[in-house]
Amino acid sequence: MSWQGKVLRVNLSAGTAEPEPLNLDWAGEFLGERGLATKYLWENMDPKADPMGPDNVLIFATGPLTGTMASTSGRYAVVTKGPLTGAIACSNSGGKFGAELKFAGYDLLIVEGRAASPVYLHIQDGDVRILPAEELWGQTVWYTEDWIKQRHQDPLTKVAGIGIAGERGVYYACVVNDLHRAAGRSGVGAVMGSKNLKAVAVRGSVGVTVKQPKKFLEVVRDTHKMLAESNGRKGLTKYGTNAMMDNMQNFGGLPTRNFREVQFEGYDKIDAKAMMKPNARGHTNLLTNKACFGCTIACGRIAHIDQEHFTIVNRKEYWHASGGLEYETAYAFGPVVGVSDIDALTFAGFLMNEHGMDPISFGVTLAAAMELFEDGVLTTEDTDGIPLTFGNAEALTVMAEKTGRQEGFGRILGLGSKRMCEKFGRPELFMGVKGQEFAGYDSRALQGMGLGYATSNRGACHLKHDMFTEDMEDQSGNGKAEPCKKSQDRVAFVDSTGLCLFTDGTWATEDYGRQLEAACGGDWPLERLLAIGERTWNLERSFNLKAGLTKADDTLPPRLLNDPAPSGTAKGKVCELDKMLPEYYAARGWNADGVPTPETLARLGLG
Amino acid sequence: MTRHLILGSGPAGIIAAETLRRTDPQCEVTVIGDEPQPPYSRMAIPYLLAGNIGEDGTRLRHSPGHYDDLGIAVKQGRATAVDSAARTVTVDTDGAASTVAYDKLLIATGARPTAPAIPGMDLDGVANCWTMADARRIIRRAAPGSDVVLMGAGFIGCIILEALAARKVNLTVVEMAPRMLARMMDDTGAAMMRRWCEAKGVTVHTGTAVAGIAKDGERLTVTMDGGATITAGLVVCATGVRANVDFLDGSGITVDDGIVVDQNLQTNIKGVYAAGDVAQGPDFSTGRTAVHAIQPTASEHGRIAARNMAGRATGYGGSLSMNVLNTLGLVSSSFGLWDGTDGGERATLVGEDDHRYLRLEFKDDRLVGALALGLTLHIGVIRGLIQTKVRLGKFKKELMRDPHRIMHAYLAQTQGVIA
Amino acid sequence: MKSLLIDADKCTDCLQCEMACSFENEGVFNPARSRIKVFEFEHGRRAVPYTCTQCDEAWCLHACPVEAITINAATGAKEVNAEVCVGCKVCTIACPFGTVNYNEDTGKVVKCDLCGGDPQCAAVCPTGAITYVDANWTGYQRMRDSAVRADGGAS
Ligand SMILES: Cc1cc2nc3c(=O)[nH]c(=O)nc-3n(C[C@H](O)[C@H](O)[C@H](O)COP(=O)(O)OP(=O)(O)OC[C@H]3O[C@@H](n4cnc5c(N)ncnc54)[C@H](O)[C@@H]3O)c2cc1C
């Protein structure tokens, strides 16, 4: 009930696809989605394996609440060893694909091995086929989805796949589902590409049942209402995530020009309000908002590009609407590269979805390339004749496309910032942690965010903890360790339910518990929920330690540790990681090297 | 008080009677049918054979006293002659002839199966599948595991095929035409259908006629063209039907393939109408007349003829030839000019291993016909698009690219979805 | 009499309606079995919920060979009686709106029955894109107009 009780295991080397029963003991301890997939990954592979080799395991995981009437029930996670980081990767996504996988009867899809030649997976309830994808290799995500729907004559098929970036091993290639939702980070798309797996297409008609239907509907009615009345929700519905742009600008936490600055003069040309304002020709960027499956928030933006804009004036194929700017895309194509041309940003966003790349990593990598260019390390000879100056909108869009298609300098950008900066002898210009680039928050202004970035198990990430309130209230590094730890655990729990993190805040942890109880049966007291999160966090950490990561990887670039913020509310401050990190290890029950103690592991049942 | 007489108590006749009653509460309505049981739908027979329903489940109307309550007299008898000048019909009831006078007459006598002129068609064990009596005969003979030969794999034949397969008989199908479903599927679709049937254990011969049937003890020997034989306990014949018009000889009513009617469903004789399988009425697709021996046409004919009989002049834009069929789990459908039209355009999509096929036929920017295999969702909209002559505009191009976006085309062009 | 009013401009494509519909009618969250379907256009630019308008012409009802579809006197809904339905699918091609579908699992057809007067799709719709209102308000005329034309000129 609520879990389907079934895992689909596909071995691409052997060409087999077999269902197996879900391990319900594990489900009780790790719930679903992120947590449960972490457990399955841990049990199914050697963390030392080459992330791009056949021994890496790629898991698509739904949660027990995925595909139910609980609001935001469209989530699924892709869990694997990330090529960008060499650490565990856990990227989750919305859209409709995750729920469809569940409707087809599966909690998890585990992909092992490597196909001899390109394939895609077609799942129709119990009918699973591994089919040739030669015709799709070298094609875009959008082409692939359309082709598969036509090939199987079913417009309701849901598709998650990769573009050329994933095929060619761009380190931050992502898995895109439903045209513009993505399991975006850490290069999970490159893992898919390394397995010669172009796409997973699903159509489900089994459906999902819950344990206590009547009670579940009652609880859900109530939790829907909570969201309906929440101001935070209303803001997300109206403005989308890009409402954050103004906050970060005012606060002075908006990473600008590869983190040399923390405020961006052009922010109001690309913020949420700018998306809603007609330009001189009367073109308005934003068309409408759109929900993921089951979501009563609908923060997604659907936008279109001005047809007269230089990027698409001669390219009619981009005159349609598609996924518009989220805050992270706006930041990564805006302030961090110094560009404030909203159409260029939107176009670059389209290209990310079309070619299957993580916009954060791409933007921050381009920012580092721009700094290298301005420092004279790179010249137009290296960059296909394009001056990579901060603020150059054409550099953004042309490089986005070159990277997506793996042409020219795009091949260098496809390495990600860390590898690229090392290649050019300037490792300090990489803005990220464990090889993964930062999201749009500067850790000098947001100290808890800095700690979260440094300790996130998948490398720099803003979505593995939520310290905004603490960080806004207190701009020092004091007392951040304990709340950061707690927040990480709570988020890890929410990420394991099958629901979206954007409900967190409106819903207390207990509200997820109520929904789980009615859906799955059993008791779900607060301690159990938080223990699921903490257990997941520690197992992710254990994976990373076994993979060879150490305390030395829990750090931030020197720019954030040594160069004071030049402006904003945190002017003059650096990130106080050195103070926070030991406190954090202690709060976690880890030793001074950041290794979980045997007592901690035993307490969590991981001993 | 107008006296309405209806010949035939199938769907066309009964729907006409009910419509007459609704339209004119005062009139007199009499229905005369020659089958003994209460009015039923012959198209429900396959589900009776399959064991999904009992005989009661085939009834057109279920509530007891339905006809009495409506003041509709349903009588058993066989019409043997019509005198359109005198406005009378001669009716034979259990061998006794009587004359029934009418003011308005509806002929809704349907069709009956035809048999090929070969030896052995009259043998015990050779059955049609058309009436309730036929159904009972088949049920007695078609036990699980028994050998059954089905002659004819047209639309009706394939429906019977499904029902016989549900009875778990050992089935061989012999079709004279070069393919199954010759009049509702093209070569591509029919070949897919055939492979599907064969994969499910049905033996299919096409381009083969039965030359004769002979008795061999308790069993029958079916000899095919070329001499090959099959033995069977039962042979079911579904080789075609013909309109029930014999009793109209000398009535002056014009008959071609069926009774020819105009767009008010009136025959050449004023006050005499025809509906359903027996009628050759306006064909929506061609603008000419044709017999469309299908349930939806019988129902529309019945309603529209009745309105005209009751004095409410109602024009009929013509019936659309359309069928939907489930063959051992593979659903197929056909609509209108599925084989195309002069100067038209075509979009096809073949999904061999998904058992899916879609073919759309356009004339200018309108849909005029379609074939589908494996499609069950929203298929009615194909009818909607064809029969409301929706202009597809820019969606024509979209459908040429991906025919499966019919629902999108429909919504965009009729619901004002600007996309 | 009330009917469903659909305002596609308000639809966010969340599919809560499809889940509520399948849950009410089949006891399972299963959009593949929903009687209301949301159609998505152009990468999500538009989403259009679509279901039976309970049209006066009642094509499905008239085409049914065994009287399995009847009118609920209280709601005006054309309801399928699954006990009587033989699964012949004639109604699925007769309905020019494509809102009667065949369910392969049960061998019967399904269509919107307004949940007996409390349509769950409307009850859960978070944006008011689907409401259940007095029939005069529905503006469904456009759909019905095309229904009339499907008769090929009958009136
Ligand atoms: C096995 C089978 C499966 C079918 N499946 C489908 C299907 O899936 N879809 C579809 O659309 N159609 C199907 N049909 C066709 C459909 O049943 C007919 O189109 C429909 O029954 C026609 O209705 P009708 O009232 O015109 O004729 P009928 O139903 O044939 O009724 C005519 C009545 O008139 C009576 N009659 C005949 N002569 C006289 C006379 N001289 N005096 C008095 N009464 C007389 C007959 O006995 C009969 O009772 C099927 C038919 C069969 C046999």
Side-chain angles (χ1 to χ4, degrees), chain B residues 8 10-12 34-35 42-43 77 79 108-110 130 155-156 159 244 276-277 293-296, chain C residues 90:
Chain B
D34 68 350
E35 289 189 71
R42 52 181 89 266
M43 67 165 290
T109 48
W130 194 253
F155 169 60
I156 303 274
I159 290 185
N244 278 323
D277 281 10
I294 51 173
Q295 172 74 21
Chain C
V90 163

PDB file of all heavy atoms in Angstrom, chain B residues 8 10-12 34-35 42-43 77 79 108-110 130 155-156 159 244 276-277 293-296, chain C residues 90, ligand 1:
ATOM      1  N   GLY B   8     -40.493  -4.812 -38.178  1.00  0.00           N
ATOM      2  CA  GLY B   8     -39.147  -5.121 -37.666  1.00  0.00           C
ATOM      3  C   GLY B   8     -38.964  -4.572 -36.271  1.00  0.00           C
ATOM      4  O   GLY B   8     -39.181  -3.383 -36.033  1.00  0.00           O
ATOM      5  N   GLY B  10     -36.128  -4.757 -34.396  1.00  0.00           N
ATOM      6  CA  GLY B  10     -34.726  -4.589 -34.020  1.00  0.00           C
ATOM      7  C   GLY B  10     -34.502  -3.163 -33.530  1.00  0.00           C
ATOM      8  O   GLY B  10     -35.465  -2.417 -33.295  1.00  0.00           O
ATOM      9  N   PRO B  11     -33.257  -2.754 -33.361  1.00  0.00           N
ATOM     10  CA  PRO B  11     -32.962  -1.416 -32.846  1.00  0.00           C
ATOM     11  C   PRO B  11     -33.633  -0.301 -33.649  1.00  0.00           C
ATOM     12  O   PRO B  11     -34.213   0.622 -33.057  1.00  0.00           O
ATOM     13  CB  PRO B  11     -31.436  -1.317 -32.947  1.00  0.00           C
ATOM     14  CG  PRO B  11     -30.944  -2.714 -32.994  1.00  0.00           C
ATOM     15  CD  PRO B  11     -32.040  -3.551 -33.565  1.00  0.00           C
ATOM     16  N   ALA B  12     -33.587  -0.376 -34.966  1.00  0.00           N
ATOM     17  CA  ALA B  12     -34.156   0.707 -35.770  1.00  0.00           C
ATOM     18  C   ALA B  12     -35.653   0.837 -35.499  1.00  0.00           C
ATOM     19  O   ALA B  12     -36.168   1.933 -35.264  1.00  0.00           O
ATOM     20  CB  ALA B  12     -33.889   0.473 -37.254  1.00  0.00           C
ATOM     21  N   ASP B  34     -40.783 -10.599 -36.557  1.00  0.00           N
ATOM     22  CA  ASP B  34     -41.054 -12.011 -36.789  1.00  0.00           C
ATOM     23  C   ASP B  34     -40.252 -12.939 -35.888  1.00  0.00           C
ATOM     24  O   ASP B  34     -40.313 -14.151 -36.039  1.00  0.00           O
ATOM     25  CB  ASP B  34     -40.838 -12.367 -38.267  1.00  0.00           C
ATOM     26  CG  ASP B  34     -39.393 -12.294 -38.682  1.00  0.00           C
ATOM     27  OD1 ASP B  34     -38.572 -11.772 -37.868  1.00  0.00           O
ATOM     28  OD2 ASP B  34     -39.060 -12.724 -39.791  1.00  0.00           O
ATOM     29  N   GLU B  35     -39.480 -12.399 -34.958  1.00  0.00           N
ATOM     30  CA  GLU B  35     -38.776 -13.300 -34.039  1.00  0.00           C
ATOM     31  C   GLU B  35     -39.596 -13.418 -32.762  1.00  0.00           C
ATOM     32  O   GLU B  35     -40.259 -12.471 -32.358  1.00  0.00           O
ATOM     33  CB  GLU B  35     -37.369 -12.772 -33.749  1.00  0.00           C
ATOM     34  CG  GLU B  35     -36.452 -12.902 -34.972  1.00  0.00           C
ATOM     35  CD  GLU B  35     -35.000 -12.595 -34.660  1.00  0.00           C
ATOM     36  OE1 GLU B  35     -34.376 -13.421 -33.972  1.00  0.00           O
ATOM     37  OE2 GLU B  35     -34.521 -11.530 -35.068  1.00  0.00           O
ATOM     38  N   ARG B  42     -29.191  -7.830 -32.064  1.00  0.00           N
ATOM     39  CA  ARG B  42     -28.415  -8.992 -32.512  1.00  0.00           C
ATOM     40  C   ARG B  42     -26.916  -8.775 -32.304  1.00  0.00           C
ATOM     41  O   ARG B  42     -26.157  -9.727 -32.197  1.00  0.00           O
ATOM     42  CB  ARG B  42     -28.758  -9.409 -33.937  1.00  0.00           C
ATOM     43  CG  ARG B  42     -28.711  -8.373 -35.003  1.00  0.00           C
ATOM     44  CD  ARG B  42     -29.100  -8.996 -36.345  1.00  0.00           C
ATOM     45  NE  ARG B  42     -30.539  -8.959 -36.637  1.00  0.00           N
ATOM     46  CZ  ARG B  42     -31.400  -9.934 -36.373  1.00  0.00           C
ATOM     47  NH1 ARG B  42     -31.004 -11.032 -35.808  1.00  0.00           N
ATOM     48  NH2 ARG B  42     -32.676  -9.806 -36.684  1.00  0.00           N
ATOM     49  N   MET B  43     -26.518  -7.528 -32.196  1.00  0.00           N
ATOM     50  CA  MET B  43     -25.085  -7.333 -32.008  1.00  0.00           C
ATOM     51  C   MET B  43     -24.622  -7.700 -30.594  1.00  0.00           C
ATOM     52  O   MET B  43     -23.434  -7.719 -30.321  1.00  0.00           O
ATOM     53  CB  MET B  43     -24.652  -5.907 -32.364  1.00  0.00           C
ATOM     54  CG  MET B  43     -25.175  -4.834 -31.465  1.00  0.00           C
ATOM     55  SD  MET B  43     -24.231  -3.323 -31.737  1.00  0.00           S
ATOM     56  CE  MET B  43     -22.672  -3.792 -31.039  1.00  0.00           C
ATOM     57  N   GLY B  77     -45.203 -11.480 -35.933  1.00  0.00           N
ATOM     58  CA  GLY B  77     -45.793 -11.772 -37.237  1.00  0.00           C
ATOM     59  C   GLY B  77     -44.800 -11.448 -38.322  1.00  0.00           C
ATOM     60  O   GLY B  77     -43.790 -10.774 -38.073  1.00  0.00           O
ATOM     61  N   ALA B  79     -44.343  -9.863 -42.087  1.00  0.00           N
ATOM     62  CA  ALA B  79     -44.936  -9.114 -43.194  1.00  0.00           C
ATOM     63  C   ALA B  79     -44.638  -9.859 -44.479  1.00  0.00           C
ATOM     64  O   ALA B  79     -43.496 -10.244 -44.722  1.00  0.00           O
ATOM     65  CB  ALA B  79     -44.351  -7.704 -43.244  1.00  0.00           C
ATOM     66  N   ALA B 108     -38.300  -1.605 -41.200  1.00  0.00           N
ATOM     67  CA  ALA B 108     -37.036  -1.735 -40.455  1.00  0.00           C
ATOM     68  C   ALA B 108     -36.762  -3.209 -40.248  1.00  0.00           C
ATOM     69  O   ALA B 108     -36.574  -3.679 -39.137  1.00  0.00           O
ATOM     70  CB  ALA B 108     -37.119  -0.983 -39.126  1.00  0.00           C
ATOM     71  N   THR B 109     -36.788  -3.921 -41.358  1.00  0.00           N
ATOM     72  CA  THR B 109     -36.725  -5.388 -41.277  1.00  0.00           C
ATOM     73  C   THR B 109     -35.305  -5.933 -41.320  1.00  0.00           C
ATOM     74  O   THR B 109     -35.108  -7.151 -41.362  1.00  0.00           O
ATOM     75  CB  THR B 109     -37.547  -6.016 -42.422  1.00  0.00           C
ATOM     76  OG1 THR B 109     -37.172  -5.363 -43.649  1.00  0.00           O
ATOM     77  CG2 THR B 109     -39.030  -5.819 -42.197  1.00  0.00           C
ATOM     78  N   GLY B 110     -34.331  -5.028 -41.341  1.00  0.00           N
ATOM     79  CA  GLY B 110     -32.954  -5.485 -41.223  1.00  0.00           C
ATOM     80  C   GLY B 110     -32.486  -6.302 -42.409  1.00  0.00           C
ATOM     81  O   GLY B 110     -32.981  -6.141 -43.523  1.00  0.00           O
ATOM     82  N   TRP B 130     -26.754 -15.068 -36.617  1.00  0.00           N
ATOM     83  CA  TRP B 130     -27.502 -13.846 -36.885  1.00  0.00           C
ATOM     84  C   TRP B 130     -28.652 -13.652 -35.898  1.00  0.00           C
ATOM     85  O   TRP B 130     -28.887 -12.562 -35.403  1.00  0.00           O
ATOM     86  CB  TRP B 130     -28.034 -13.888 -38.328  1.00  0.00           C
ATOM     87  CG  TRP B 130     -28.517 -12.562 -38.803  1.00  0.00           C
ATOM     88  CD1 TRP B 130     -29.813 -12.179 -38.981  1.00  0.00           C
ATOM     89  CD2 TRP B 130     -27.706 -11.440 -39.138  1.00  0.00           C
ATOM     90  NE1 TRP B 130     -29.864 -10.873 -39.395  1.00  0.00           N
ATOM     91  CE2 TRP B 130     -28.581 -10.394 -39.509  1.00  0.00           C
ATOM     92  CE3 TRP B 130     -26.332 -11.205 -39.168  1.00  0.00           C
ATOM     93  CZ2 TRP B 130     -28.130  -9.131 -39.889  1.00  0.00           C
ATOM     94  CZ3 TRP B 130     -25.875  -9.961 -39.556  1.00  0.00           C
ATOM     95  CH2 TRP B 130     -26.766  -8.944 -39.912  1.00  0.00           C
ATOM     96  N   PHE B 155     -16.109  -7.939 -40.931  1.00  0.00           N
ATOM     97  CA  PHE B 155     -16.375  -7.300 -39.651  1.00  0.00           C
ATOM     98  C   PHE B 155     -17.168  -8.216 -38.723  1.00  0.00           C
ATOM     99  O   PHE B 155     -16.765  -8.516 -37.599  1.00  0.00           O
ATOM    100  CB  PHE B 155     -17.115  -5.989 -39.910  1.00  0.00           C
ATOM    101  CG  PHE B 155     -17.666  -5.357 -38.673  1.00  0.00           C
ATOM    102  CD1 PHE B 155     -16.818  -4.985 -37.640  1.00  0.00           C
ATOM    103  CD2 PHE B 155     -19.031  -5.139 -38.538  1.00  0.00           C
ATOM    104  CE1 PHE B 155     -17.321  -4.393 -36.490  1.00  0.00           C
ATOM    105  CE2 PHE B 155     -19.544  -4.549 -37.389  1.00  0.00           C
ATOM    106  CZ  PHE B 155     -18.688  -4.186 -36.371  1.00  0.00           C
ATOM    107  N   ILE B 156     -18.313  -8.718 -39.205  1.00  0.00           N
ATOM    108  CA  ILE B 156     -19.139  -9.579 -38.361  1.00  0.00           C
ATOM    109  C   ILE B 156     -18.404 -10.880 -38.053  1.00  0.00           C
ATOM    110  O   ILE B 156     -18.405 -11.362 -36.927  1.00  0.00           O
ATOM    111  CB  ILE B 156     -20.502  -9.880 -39.051  1.00  0.00           C
ATOM    112  CG1 ILE B 156     -21.244  -8.576 -39.371  1.00  0.00           C
ATOM    113  CG2 ILE B 156     -21.343 -10.831 -38.213  1.00  0.00           C
ATOM    114  CD1 ILE B 156     -22.090  -7.995 -38.288  1.00  0.00           C
ATOM    115  N   ILE B 159     -16.038 -10.434 -35.265  1.00  0.00           N
ATOM    116  CA  ILE B 159     -16.687 -10.331 -33.955  1.00  0.00           C
ATOM    117  C   ILE B 159     -17.061 -11.721 -33.451  1.00  0.00           C
ATOM    118  O   ILE B 159     -16.890 -12.058 -32.280  1.00  0.00           O
ATOM    119  CB  ILE B 159     -17.931  -9.420 -34.030  1.00  0.00           C
ATOM    120  CG1 ILE B 159     -17.483  -7.981 -34.250  1.00  0.00           C
ATOM    121  CG2 ILE B 159     -18.769  -9.535 -32.772  1.00  0.00           C
ATOM    122  CD1 ILE B 159     -18.608  -6.980 -34.225  1.00  0.00           C
ATOM    123  N   ASN B 244     -33.587  -7.477 -46.057  1.00  0.00           N
ATOM    124  CA  ASN B 244     -34.856  -8.215 -46.049  1.00  0.00           C
ATOM    125  C   ASN B 244     -35.920  -7.434 -46.802  1.00  0.00           C
ATOM    126  O   ASN B 244     -36.693  -6.696 -46.203  1.00  0.00           O
ATOM    127  CB  ASN B 244     -35.336  -8.435 -44.605  1.00  0.00           C
ATOM    128  CG  ASN B 244     -34.655  -9.623 -43.974  1.00  0.00           C
ATOM    129  OD1 ASN B 244     -34.392 -10.629 -44.634  1.00  0.00           O
ATOM    130  ND2 ASN B 244     -34.372  -9.501 -42.685  1.00  0.00           N
ATOM    131  N   GLY B 276     -32.372   1.577 -40.827  1.00  0.00           N
ATOM    132  CA  GLY B 276     -31.505   0.504 -40.349  1.00  0.00           C
ATOM    133  C   GLY B 276     -30.875  -0.301 -41.469  1.00  0.00           C
ATOM    134  O   GLY B 276     -30.693   0.190 -42.587  1.00  0.00           O
ATOM    135  N   ASP B 277     -30.588  -1.549 -41.173  1.00  0.00           N
ATOM    136  CA  ASP B 277     -29.860  -2.411 -42.114  1.00  0.00           C
ATOM    137  C   ASP B 277     -30.577  -2.576 -43.450  1.00  0.00           C
ATOM    138  O   ASP B 277     -29.953  -2.874 -44.460  1.00  0.00           O
ATOM    139  CB  ASP B 277     -29.688  -3.821 -41.511  1.00  0.00           C
ATOM    140  CG  ASP B 277     -28.565  -3.887 -40.493  1.00  0.00           C
ATOM    141  OD1 ASP B 277     -28.046  -2.810 -40.113  1.00  0.00           O
ATOM    142  OD2 ASP B 277     -28.214  -5.010 -40.071  1.00  0.00           O
ATOM    143  N   ALA B 293     -24.809  -1.109 -42.560  1.00  0.00           N
ATOM    144  CA  ALA B 293     -25.474  -2.051 -41.663  1.00  0.00           C
ATOM    145  C   ALA B 293     -24.787  -2.075 -40.305  1.00  0.00           C
ATOM    146  O   ALA B 293     -24.178  -3.059 -39.921  1.00  0.00           O
ATOM    147  CB  ALA B 293     -25.508  -3.435 -42.296  1.00  0.00           C
ATOM    148  N   ILE B 294     -24.888  -0.983 -39.599  1.00  0.00           N
ATOM    149  CA  ILE B 294     -24.282  -0.899 -38.270  1.00  0.00           C
ATOM    150  C   ILE B 294     -25.273  -0.307 -37.273  1.00  0.00           C
ATOM    151  O   ILE B 294     -26.205   0.412 -37.637  1.00  0.00           O
ATOM    152  CB  ILE B 294     -22.994  -0.031 -38.282  1.00  0.00           C
ATOM    153  CG1 ILE B 294     -23.255   1.329 -38.939  1.00  0.00           C
ATOM    154  CG2 ILE B 294     -21.857  -0.778 -38.976  1.00  0.00           C
ATOM    155  CD1 ILE B 294     -22.105   2.298 -38.837  1.00  0.00           C
ATOM    156  N   GLN B 295     -25.005  -0.595 -36.030  1.00  0.00           N
ATOM    157  CA  GLN B 295     -25.874  -0.177 -34.944  1.00  0.00           C
ATOM    158  C   GLN B 295     -26.097   1.355 -34.873  1.00  0.00           C
ATOM    159  O   GLN B 295     -27.239   1.790 -34.772  1.00  0.00           O
ATOM    160  CB  GLN B 295     -25.287  -0.706 -33.628  1.00  0.00           C
ATOM    161  CG  GLN B 295     -25.959  -0.216 -32.373  1.00  0.00           C
ATOM    162  CD  GLN B 295     -27.300  -0.872 -32.161  1.00  0.00           C
ATOM    163  OE1 GLN B 295     -27.569  -1.942 -32.704  1.00  0.00           O
ATOM    164  NE2 GLN B 295     -28.149  -0.214 -31.389  1.00  0.00           N
ATOM    165  N   PRO B 296     -25.047   2.164 -34.910  1.00  0.00           N
ATOM    166  CA  PRO B 296     -25.307   3.602 -34.784  1.00  0.00           C
ATOM    167  C   PRO B 296     -26.200   4.129 -35.899  1.00  0.00           C
ATOM    168  O   PRO B 296     -27.033   5.015 -35.672  1.00  0.00           O
ATOM    169  CB  PRO B 296     -23.909   4.241 -34.863  1.00  0.00           C
ATOM    170  CG  PRO B 296     -22.949   3.161 -34.531  1.00  0.00           C
ATOM    171  CD  PRO B 296     -23.592   1.880 -34.979  1.00  0.00           C
TER     172      PRO B 296
ATOM    173  N   VAL C  90     -19.509   0.373 -29.133  1.00  0.00           N
ATOM    174  CA  VAL C  90     -20.156   1.196 -30.147  1.00  0.00           C
ATOM    175  C   VAL C  90     -20.296   2.640 -29.658  1.00  0.00           C
ATOM    176  O   VAL C  90     -20.094   3.591 -30.406  1.00  0.00           O
ATOM    177  CB  VAL C  90     -21.530   0.598 -30.540  1.00  0.00           C
ATOM    178  CG1 VAL C  90     -22.390   1.627 -31.246  1.00  0.00           C
ATOM    179  CG2 VAL C  90     -21.331  -0.600 -31.452  1.00  0.00           C
TER     180      VAL C  90
HETATM  181  C1  LIG D   1     -23.174 -11.124 -34.665  1.00  0.00           C
HETATM  182  C2  LIG D   1     -23.385  -9.683 -34.962  1.00  0.00           C
HETATM  183  C3  LIG D   1     -22.537  -8.731 -34.442  1.00  0.00           C
HETATM  184  C4  LIG D   1     -22.720  -7.381 -34.734  1.00  0.00           C
HETATM  185  N1  LIG D   1     -21.864  -6.478 -34.202  1.00  0.00           N
HETATM  186  C5  LIG D   1     -22.030  -5.190 -34.478  1.00  0.00           C
HETATM  187  C6  LIG D   1     -21.177  -4.216 -33.911  1.00  0.00           C
HETATM  188  O1  LIG D   1     -20.259  -4.540 -33.160  1.00  0.00           O
HETATM  189  N2  LIG D   1     -21.368  -2.921 -34.216  1.00  0.00           N
HETATM  190  C7  LIG D   1     -22.368  -2.513 -35.023  1.00  0.00           C
HETATM  191  O2  LIG D   1     -22.493  -1.330 -35.229  1.00  0.00           O
HETATM  192  N3  LIG D   1     -23.209  -3.415 -35.573  1.00  0.00           N
HETATM  193  C8  LIG D   1     -23.057  -4.734 -35.318  1.00  0.00           C
HETATM  194  N4  LIG D   1     -23.918  -5.652 -35.875  1.00  0.00           N
HETATM  195  C9  LIG D   1     -24.939  -5.153 -36.783  1.00  0.00           C
HETATM  196  C10 LIG D   1     -26.155  -4.668 -36.028  1.00  0.00           C
HETATM  197  O3  LIG D   1     -26.606  -5.673 -35.183  1.00  0.00           O
HETATM  198  C11 LIG D   1     -27.218  -4.249 -37.002  1.00  0.00           C
HETATM  199  O4  LIG D   1     -26.740  -3.185 -37.773  1.00  0.00           O
HETATM  200  C12 LIG D   1     -28.483  -3.831 -36.308  1.00  0.00           C
HETATM  201  O5  LIG D   1     -29.027  -4.865 -35.585  1.00  0.00           O
HETATM  202  C13 LIG D   1     -29.474  -3.324 -37.330  1.00  0.00           C
HETATM  203  O6  LIG D   1     -30.690  -3.044 -36.732  1.00  0.00           O
HETATM  204  P1  LIG D   1     -32.038  -3.127 -37.547  1.00  0.00           P
HETATM  205  O7  LIG D   1     -33.085  -2.786 -36.583  1.00  0.00           O
HETATM  206  O8  LIG D   1     -31.892  -2.354 -38.765  1.00  0.00           O
HETATM  207  O9  LIG D   1     -32.122  -4.646 -37.993  1.00  0.00           O
HETATM  208  P2  LIG D   1     -32.260  -5.966 -37.144  1.00  0.00           P
HETATM  209  O10 LIG D   1     -31.566  -5.824 -35.857  1.00  0.00           O
HETATM  210  O11 LIG D   1     -31.823  -7.054 -38.017  1.00  0.00           O
HETATM  211  O12 LIG D   1     -33.789  -6.073 -36.840  1.00  0.00           O
HETATM  212  C14 LIG D   1     -34.682  -6.340 -37.856  1.00  0.00           C
HETATM  213  C15 LIG D   1     -35.823  -7.143 -37.303  1.00  0.00           C
HETATM  214  O13 LIG D   1     -36.804  -7.280 -38.301  1.00  0.00           O
HETATM  215  C16 LIG D   1     -37.256  -8.615 -38.326  1.00  0.00           C
HETATM  216  N5  LIG D   1     -37.829  -8.905 -39.651  1.00  0.00           N
HETATM  217  C17 LIG D   1     -37.166  -9.191 -40.774  1.00  0.00           C
HETATM  218  N6  LIG D   1     -38.047  -9.402 -41.793  1.00  0.00           N
HETATM  219  C18 LIG D   1     -39.272  -9.226 -41.277  1.00  0.00           C
HETATM  220  C19 LIG D   1     -40.573  -9.277 -41.804  1.00  0.00           C
HETATM  221  N7  LIG D   1     -40.782  -9.549 -43.094  1.00  0.00           N
HETATM  222  N8  LIG D   1     -41.616  -9.054 -40.979  1.00  0.00           N
HETATM  223  C20 LIG D   1     -41.429  -8.762 -39.688  1.00  0.00           C
HETATM  224  N9  LIG D   1     -40.227  -8.697 -39.143  1.00  0.00           N
HETATM  225  C21 LIG D   1     -39.147  -8.921 -39.919  1.00  0.00           C
HETATM  226  C22 LIG D   1     -36.049  -9.406 -37.995  1.00  0.00           C
HETATM  227  O14 LIG D   1     -36.342 -10.693 -37.562  1.00  0.00           O
HETATM  228  C23 LIG D   1     -35.454  -8.540 -36.885  1.00  0.00           C
HETATM  229  O15 LIG D   1     -36.008  -8.868 -35.663  1.00  0.00           O
HETATM  230  C24 LIG D   1     -23.778  -6.991 -35.577  1.00  0.00           C
HETATM  231  C25 LIG D   1     -24.629  -7.946 -36.082  1.00  0.00           C
HETATM  232  C26 LIG D   1     -24.447  -9.284 -35.793  1.00  0.00           C
HETATM  233  C27 LIG D   1     -25.389 -10.282 -36.344  1.00  0.00           C
END
